[in-house]
Amino acid sequence: MNKVLLMGRLTKEPEVRYSKGPEPVAVARYTLAVNRRFKGQGEQEADFINCVAFGKIGEFAEKYLKKGQLISIVGRLQVRSWNDQNGQKHWSTDVVVEEQYFAESKSSFEGRSSGQSAGEGFYPIDESIEDENLPF
């Protein structure tokens, strides 16, 4: 099974191009900054993951996704290789987006980008709580 679930912030606006042909298809590329668990003295590290979305999903990314926005995606990992003009082999790993969702409210995102605090609706998880003690 090849399934990837990610939540992170867009590092810049999605770059969208359209394929050539009688029916052009949108191809949106963007990078997600996905936080790792805390390391050491409260330092946090992030992985920068390349994502690509095709067709209607790519068009959606072009129209609605903005730099800094927290989104969640579902997709599959794809590794490809090619040789450059000098014959040197290169590798690329991307997540092919199959679903994408907003992970914060519009007002929360707009407030954060204007300097107000973020995190509305998101709470830290206390990992010491046992499943049988959950209130639901």
Side-chain angles (χ1 to χ4, degrees), residues 9-17 27-32 50-51 58 60-69 71 109 112-113:
R9 294 201 181 274
L10 289 163
T11 62
K12 60 183 178 179
E13 306 288 317
E15 295 176 11
V16 181
R17 296 184 182 178
V27 180
R29 292 188 174 276
Y30 54 84
T31 302
L32 281 184
N50 296 322
C51 303
F60 181 90
E62 178 180 35
K63 189 171 183 178
Y64 296 108
L65 300 185
K66 305 291 179 216
K67 177 182 177 179
Q69 221 168 12
I71 65 167
F109 171 68
R112 190 183 53 74
S113 62

Side-chain angles (χ1 to χ4, degrees), residues 24-127:
V25 175
V27 180
R29 292 188 174 276
Y30 54 84
T31 302
L32 281 184
V34 178
N35 288 336
R36 295 182 184 175
R37 289 190 170 269
F38 286 98
K39 175 187 175 190
Q41 305 263 335
E43 300 170 21
Q44 196 167 33
E45 293 183 5
D47 290 306
F48 296 88
I49 301 173
N50 296 322
C51 303
V52 60
F54 297 98
K56 295 286 184 192
I57 298 170
E59 291 172 13
F60 181 90
E62 178 180 35
K63 189 171 183 178
Y64 296 108
L65 300 185
K66 305 291 179 216
K67 177 182 177 179
Q69 221 168 12
L70 183 67
I71 65 167
S72 176
I73 65 166
V74 178
R76 62 184 166 82
L77 202 58
Q78 178 174 289
V79 179
R80 57 189 178 95
S81 65
W82 70 96
N83 292 321
D84 66 14
Q85 295 173 344
N86 300 325
Q88 187 174 13
K89 192 164 198 158
H90 295 271
W91 295 86
S92 174
T93 303
D94 299 313
V95 173
V96 177
V97 179
E98 296 169 347
E99 302 171 40
Q100 56 195 1
Y101 304 96
F102 295 110
E104 66 184 340
S105 68
K106 184 176 181 180
S107 61
S108 175
F109 171 68
E110 289 172 350
R112 190 183 53 74
S113 62
S114 68
Q116 298 173 359
S117 74
E120 179 182 311
F122 293 93
Y123 301 94
I125 297 172
D126 184 352
E127 294 180 13

